[in-house]
Amino acid sequence: MNINKNHPNTVNLNQLITNIPIRRKIVDQNDRDKFEWNQWQSATKAVNNIEAAPKEKHIRNLILGTFRLEGSRLFWSMMIRVNIGSHPVTSWKFCYVIHRLLRDGHKHVIQDSIVLAIYFDQLSQFWSGVQQGYGLLSYRYCNLLISKFKFHERNPIFAGNLTINEQNNDIRRIFDDNFNLYFQLCIELFDYMEEILNLVQVIFTSLDQSRLNSMTAAGQCRLNPIIICIQDSSLLYDYIVKVLFKLHEGLSSDILQDRRRRLADQFRRLKRFYGQSSTLQYFKSLIKIPMLPENPPDFNAKEDLTNYQAPVAIVNTSASDSSSVIEDLLIDISDNTKSTATTTVTDGLFDSATISNRSQNMPDFEQRFIQVNTMLDQTRSETDDLHRTIAAKDAELMDERNHRLRIEEQLRQQLSSQKSIEEIHALDNKTSANEKFDKLLETYNQLREEHFVVLRRENESKKELTDFNQQFTKLKEDSTKKENEFNQNYEKLNNEIFQLRQTNDSFEERLKELEDDKSRLHSDKFTFEQKLKDAEGERSGLFHRNREQEENLIDLIHEREVLEQKVIDLEETIREWAQKFIDISDKQKLMQANHENLLKNLKRQYKYSILTYCINQMHDGIDQTNDIDLFNSKRSKEYLLSQLQIAATRTKTIHDLWQRQKDSDESDTISFLNECIALANTMADIILHGKAIANLVQDINYRDVVLYCIDLYTNYQTLSTPNDIDQQSDQLLHRLSSLIEKLKTVSV
């Protein structure tokens, strides 16, 4: 289903829900009744007009219900009985619950809800005229959900929580090198992020205008969707950055200038959003808000891609933290408290409790997976640092060894010199020889001390190197798995290189063709230059004849400049009037939209009031049958028979008018209501005359006919299904016909 195509103004939610498939049923009747009642209790407690945040246990119960039935058919069937558009708070909490089901519910919830995007479009238009309070909040939230439906319809590879499972969750590989698809995906990611930021902006503005505190029930009711927005926006920002890095690999920087400018704007708004959220006490125990750098990445610098770190929003899922938050806060603000259970396998099948636990822990596993990826990136960085440190230590150790060898060589040379001096100066003065020997001995001792220092430093370096080697061994064991993955990716890369080489051969053939074309162009250029020389000779002859025409042309140019200035003035005037016309048109459209909404509400209230009047009229007739005077009165059978025939005719007429005004633009509504009033008066007359006749004939009962008519009017009020109304109308006609036939056979 394409959710962008045109649709009527009024949407029948019941008919849309019939398009949602029933994938799984609960066989046992008692179990099914208990389960549906439990789901109904959670739905009504989560979606109501009480200005307080929905409790997590009710939302979690609805999420588990989608996993048990493998879809959201039951939830949407319950929403028919909840008047969502009756109150802005109800619509606001309904949008939040739907958002949670789309993120954390069964994977079929997205598929089931896409077909209902037309309903959210109608709900958005309904609240579009309200420019403050929960009406404006509901309008923005509906627009966000519509954007989410469009995104998932065009990109089914993304799960409801925006994760992907393609090639290690790397978005830069899902389309290979098809840059057109990446460009389109980038625009859709920007649009999705824009709706999130718009919703966040009106939430904080509403909080400031109403002067609410985040620790009050009313404040938390408005702030509750912020946690989901933080989770979604952090992933969307990560995807946008990675897609832009991918686009800069294959497209020129000028083409992507608008995309970079749009990222810079959203980066600024996102950073302000995270900053505002981190200052509120409500979120401190519920979620770890990611930190963004001072500036977005430079996509023309490859080192920015290497140094880029994805922002990760971590939701607090510990039971102890949730319980402490409940004790500290004024109301219940606990978030996803995940219970862990032991999973058992019997004959290769999981029981329902295990499936529920796995589905309950799924968001926690996804967050842990993101954390592990982040830790792995940090480990890689630390491994590189250790490699560099070990290399530096190796170089330092080599320097120490070389220094020690040089000292030892100097020592050997000094010893050799000492022996030579002793042999040469053996006959010299013993006093002079002893002084020289003492100096040499002192030098030897100094060199020996330096040698010991070098040995100690070498031992310390060896010990430090051993510690680094142990750390490196541990990190190397951790990175072995990644090396295996690298080998697999390397083989895939070789295949891609082979394909690129084949493509390169085609390019070389095309290059040869272009070289041939270049040679032909050179030949054509020479021919053209020869013709140009001939044309120059002709031009010099025409120059003198054109001089007079140039003087006339100057006068014409001057006149043209004057006219152009007048045209510019007129265009400026036209633009001013066009802008005024556009402003007036926009105001007229806004007034018309508000008028149409008001008119629809008035028509709906008027129709409801008229039908209520008719029902009260018939109830008054029933109450008048208790009058004791009716037991002694006598009425004409012929008059009563004519009234019954009139009632049967009007019942058919009302049903036909209801069919026409339901299928058309409600132009027959007035006729339909007039007939309803007339039939109600007729029924009131029938119950009074029928009571008098029934005093004489015991087996004739007119009370049931009036009650059937009241039920029919009630169905018209509540907009029941066409099948129910058709069946009720046929039953009323059948009752009237039976009374007419029975009255004809009675003699009074």
Side-chain angles (χ1 to χ4, degrees):
M1 173 184 178
N2 188 353
I3 63 180
N4 295 314
K5 63 183 181 181
N6 296 328
H7 50 268
N9 292 331
T10 302
V11 177
N12 189 339
L13 183 59
N14 190 16
Q15 188 172 0
L16 290 176
I17 294 175
T18 57
N19 297 326
I20 301 177
I22 301 175
R23 300 180 179 87
R24 185 179 179 184
K25 294 182 179 179
I26 303 176
V27 178
D28 184 73
Q29 181 64 35
N30 293 330
D31 190 15
R32 181 167 68 249
D33 293 342
K34 183 178 179 180
F35 172 74
E36 291 181 355
W37 173 249
N38 183 265
Q39 290 287 298
W40 169 250
Q41 290 282 57
S42 296
T44 53
K45 290 179 181 179
V47 182
N48 50 46
N49 60 0
I50 300 174
E51 193 175 3
K55 291 188 177 181
E56 184 63 26
K57 62 181 180 181
H58 302 314
I59 297 177
R60 187 183 300 114
N61 192 31
L62 294 174
I63 292 173
L64 294 178
T66 64
F67 282 94
R68 185 170 184 182
L69 299 182
E70 298 181 358
S72 59
R73 172 66 180 267
L74 175 62
F75 174 79
W76 281 108
S77 300
M78 294 186 298
M79 287 299 102
I80 299 177
R81 291 177 281 173
V82 179
N83 194 358
I84 298 172
S86 63
H87 199 279
V89 176
T90 305
S91 297
W92 173 249
K93 298 172 74 172
F94 164 73
C95 291
Y96 171 73
V97 173
I98 288 296
H99 200 173
R100 285 292 304 275
L101 292 181
L102 294 174
R103 271 191 57 87
D104 304 329
H106 193 273
K107 62 181 180 180
H108 289 152
V109 176
I110 287 285
Q111 180 181 349
D112 294 345
S113 302
I114 283 179
V115 299
L116 300 172
I118 186 175
Y119 172 74
F120 286 93
D121 192 7
Q122 175 180 283
L123 192 62
S124 172
Q125 294 179 6
F126 179 77
W127 294 113
S128 62
V130 182
Q131 298 299 321
Q132 60 183 356
Y134 283 97
L136 178 60
L137 294 175
S138 299
Y139 165 70
R140 285 298 185 188
Y141 215 150
C142 287
N143 288 343
L144 172 58
L145 293 175
I146 293 171
S147 180
K148 184 175 181 64
F149 291 143
K150 291 180 180 179
F151 180 80
H152 286 289
E153 184 187 32
R154 295 169 181 166
N155 305 280
I157 192 173
F158 290 87
N161 57 4
L162 296 180
T163 59
I164 55 178
N165 297 321
E166 291 292 326
Q167 300 180 0
N168 298 327
N169 205 31
D170 192 348
I171 197 173
R172 293 172 296 173
R173 300 180 182 177
I174 59 176
F175 296 138
D176 294 331
D177 286 334
N178 192 332
F179 292 100
N180 291 331
L181 295 179
Y182 278 114
F183 195 85
Q184 180 63 32
L185 176 62
C186 184
I187 295 175
E188 294 171 358
L189 290 171
F190 274 128
D191 294 341
Y192 196 166
M193 176 73 84
E194 188 70 25
E195 292 299 334
I196 291 179
L197 295 175
N198 289 339
L199 174 62
V200 168
Q201 181 178 356
V202 297
I203 289 176
F204 283 112
T205 302
S206 173
L207 198 68
D208 294 337
Q209 291 177 349
S210 56
R211 297 181 180 179
L212 293 175
N213 191 294
S214 67
M215 305 307 293
T216 63
Q220 292 175 11
C221 184
R222 300 176 188 237
L223 290 172
N224 214 28
I226 291 293
I227 295 177
I228 316 179
C229 292
I230 292 174
Q231 293 176 289
D232 288 351
S233 62
S234 62
L235 280 174
L236 287 175
Y237 172 76
D238 181 44
Y239 292 153
I240 290 172
V241 170
K242 291 179 178 178
V243 169
L244 284 176
F245 271 118
K246 180 70 175 180
L247 289 174
H248 279 77
E249 294 177 3
L251 300 177
S252 66
S253 180
D254 294 338
I255 296 176
L256 301 173
Q257 183 178 1
D258 291 339
R259 306 282 81 78
R260 293 195 301 272
R261 186 181 299 113
R262 190 173 186 184
L263 173 64
D265 176 66
Q266 290 190 352
F267 176 85
R268 175 180 51 80
R269 297 171 62 189
L270 189 64
K271 191 174 180 65
R272 184 171 65 248
F273 163 39
Y274 290 165
Q276 288 176 315
S277 302
S278 61
T279 60
L280 297 179
Q281 181 66 29
Y282 177 48
F283 299 118
K284 292 188 181 298
S285 301
L286 299 179
I287 186 172
K288 181 179 179 182
I289 301 173
M291 297 291 293
L292 294 178
E294 291 299 325
N295 298 301
D298 183 4
F299 298 100
N300 295 318
K302 293 184 178 180
E303 58 271 13
D304 275 22
L305 176 59
T306 305
N307 299 329
Y308 168 73
Q309 298 209 352
V312 180
I314 303 176
V315 177
N316 185 7
T317 58
S318 61
S320 60
D321 291 344
S322 298
S323 62
S324 64
V325 171
I326 295 175
E327 294 175 359
D328 293 339
L329 301 186
L330 297 177
I331 64 172
D332 181 12
I333 58 172
S334 61
D335 203 328
N336 299 337
T337 305
K338 309 298 181 182
S339 61
T340 58
T342 303
T343 305
T344 59
V345 181
T346 304
D347 297 332
L349 298 176
F350 293 100
D351 57 8
S352 60
T354 303
I355 295 175
S356 299
N357 288 329
R358 291 188 63 189
S359 63
Q360 185 177 359
N361 291 331
M362 191 64 67
D364 190 20
F365 291 156
E366 293 170 355
Q367 293 296 332
R368 290 175 59 189
F369 178 74
I370 295 173
Q371 294 176 19
V372 170
N373 282 339
T374 304
M375 292 175 61
L376 181 60
D377 293 337
Q378 294 176 354
T379 302
R380 289 174 179 169
S381 178
E382 292 175 358
T383 303
D384 295 337
D385 293 339
L386 284 176
H387 276 294
R388 289 190 292 268
T389 304
I390 291 172
K393 291 296 181 181
D394 286 338
E396 184 178 352
L397 183 60
M398 290 299 296
D399 292 338
E400 292 293 338
R401 288 177 179 175
N402 294 331
H403 182 62
R404 187 190 64 181
L405 292 175
R406 287 195 300 271
I407 292 174
E408 290 177 350
E409 181 66 25
Q410 291 177 3
L411 183 60
R412 284 194 296 269
Q413 291 178 359
Q414 290 292 338
L415 291 174
S416 299
S417 300
Q418 182 182 356
K419 292 179 181 179
S420 300
I421 292 170
E422 288 177 353
E423 293 175 356
I424 294 172
H425 299 282
L427 299 178
D428 291 344
N429 191 333
K430 292 182 179 181
T431 304
S432 176
N434 289 333
E435 291 177 356
K436 293 181 179 178
F437 176 78
D438 291 337
K439 291 181 180 179
L440 290 175
L441 183 60
E442 183 180 357
T443 304
Y444 168 77
N445 291 330
Q446 291 178 356
L447 293 174
R448 188 168 176 269
E449 289 296 329
E450 292 180 3
H451 177 65
F452 288 152
V453 172
V454 170
L455 289 177
R456 284 196 297 271
R457 292 178 61 184
E458 181 181 7
N459 291 331
E460 292 176 356
S461 299
K462 286 182 179 179
K463 184 178 179 180
E464 188 175 357
L465 180 61
T466 302
D467 295 337
F468 280 119
N469 285 333
Q470 291 177 354
Q471 296 179 11
F472 175 72
T473 302
K474 293 180 180 179
L475 293 174
K476 188 174 182 180
E477 291 175 356
D478 295 337
S479 62
T480 302
K481 296 180 181 180
K482 291 301 177 180
E483 290 180 359
N484 294 332
E485 295 179 1
F486 171 78
N487 292 331
Q488 296 176 359
N489 294 331
Y490 181 74
E491 183 178 355
K492 182 179 178 181
L493 182 62
N494 284 334
N495 295 331
E496 294 178 356
I497 291 174
F498 177 73
Q499 295 177 358
L500 290 174
R501 286 177 178 173
Q502 291 180 340
T503 306
N504 187 41
D505 294 338
S506 300
F507 286 157
E508 288 180 354
E509 293 178 358
R510 178 59 179 163
L511 183 61
K512 291 180 180 179
E513 296 178 357
L514 292 175
E515 289 291 341
D516 296 337
D517 294 340
K518 181 179 179 181
S519 300
R520 287 194 297 270
L521 289 174
H522 277 295
S523 178
D524 295 341
K525 178 183 177 183
F526 178 76
T527 304
F528 176 75
E529 289 176 351
Q530 187 63 34
K531 293 181 179 179
L532 184 62
K533 291 180 180 179
D534 298 338
E536 282 292 334
E538 295 179 359
R539 189 184 69 83
S540 61
L542 294 173
F543 177 76
H544 299 288
R545 286 181 292 176
N546 288 338
R547 182 172 296 175
E548 295 179 358
Q549 296 179 0
E550 287 178 355
E551 294 176 356
N552 297 331
L553 182 60
I554 291 173
D555 296 335
L556 292 175
I557 290 174
H558 178 71
E559 294 178 1
R560 187 190 67 179
E561 290 176 351
V562 175
L563 292 175
E564 286 178 349
Q565 185 61 39
K566 293 181 179 180
V567 170
I568 291 173
D569 296 338
L570 289 174
E571 288 178 349
E572 182 65 25
T573 304
I574 292 172
R575 279 195 296 269
E576 292 177 357
W577 283 104
Q579 184 62 40
K580 292 180 181 179
F581 176 76
I582 292 172
D583 295 340
I584 294 173
S585 300
D586 292 339
K587 292 180 181 178
Q588 289 178 347
K589 289 179 181 178
L590 180 60
M591 294 175 62
Q592 183 177 1
N594 294 335
H595 175 72
E596 290 178 355
N597 291 333
L598 179 61
L599 185 60
K600 287 181 181 177
N601 293 333
L602 290 175
K603 286 183 178 179
R604 186 161 54 247
Q605 295 175 2
Y606 176 71
K607 183 177 179 180
Y608 186 90
S609 300
I610 292 299
L611 292 174
T612 303
Y613 166 77
C614 295
I615 292 172
N616 294 335
Q617 188 77 3
M618 288 184 278
H619 278 297
D620 291 341
I622 293 174
D623 295 338
Q624 291 179 15
T625 57
N626 298 325
D627 191 353
I628 194 65
D629 295 337
L630 290 177
F631 285 97
N632 301 323
S633 64
K634 295 182 180 180
R635 303 298 174 105
S636 170
K637 182 186 79 172
E638 289 76 11
Y639 177 76
L640 180 59
L641 183 62
S642 65
Q643 291 298 100
L644 288 171
Q645 292 173 346
I646 291 172
T649 303
R650 284 176 175 167
T651 300
K652 294 179 182 179
T653 303
I654 288 173
H655 190 63
D656 294 338
L657 289 172
W658 176 78
Q659 289 283 358
R660 289 202 298 270
Q661 66 94 20
K662 176 178 71 66
D663 298 332
S664 64
D665 57 354
E666 299 186 356
S667 60
D668 297 323
T669 302
I670 301 300
S671 301
F672 168 74
L673 294 176
N674 290 335
E675 288 295 331
C676 287
I677 295 172
L679 178 59
N681 293 329
T682 303
M683 284 296 179
D685 202 11
I686 287 173
I687 190 64
L688 295 176
H689 286 77
K691 178 65 177 178
I693 297 296
N695 293 332
L696 302 176
V697 182
Q698 298 299 325
D699 59 346
I700 296 179
N701 187 1
Y702 297 92
R703 183 185 181 89
D704 291 343
V705 176
V706 178
L707 292 176
Y708 266 96
C709 186
I710 291 174
D711 291 340
L712 178 61
Y713 278 28
T714 303
N715 287 337
Y716 286 143
Q717 273 186 323
T718 58
L719 298 178
S720 299
T721 61
N723 292 333
D724 294 340
I725 294 178
D726 293 341
Q727 184 178 2
Q728 191 74 26
S729 180
D730 293 339
Q731 290 178 356
L732 178 60
L733 287 172
H734 177 72
R735 292 277 180 170
L736 289 171
S737 300
S738 299
L739 284 177
I740 290 172
E741 295 299 327
K742 190 177 291 186
L743 187 61
K744 288 180 179 179
T745 59
V746 173
S747 59
V748 180

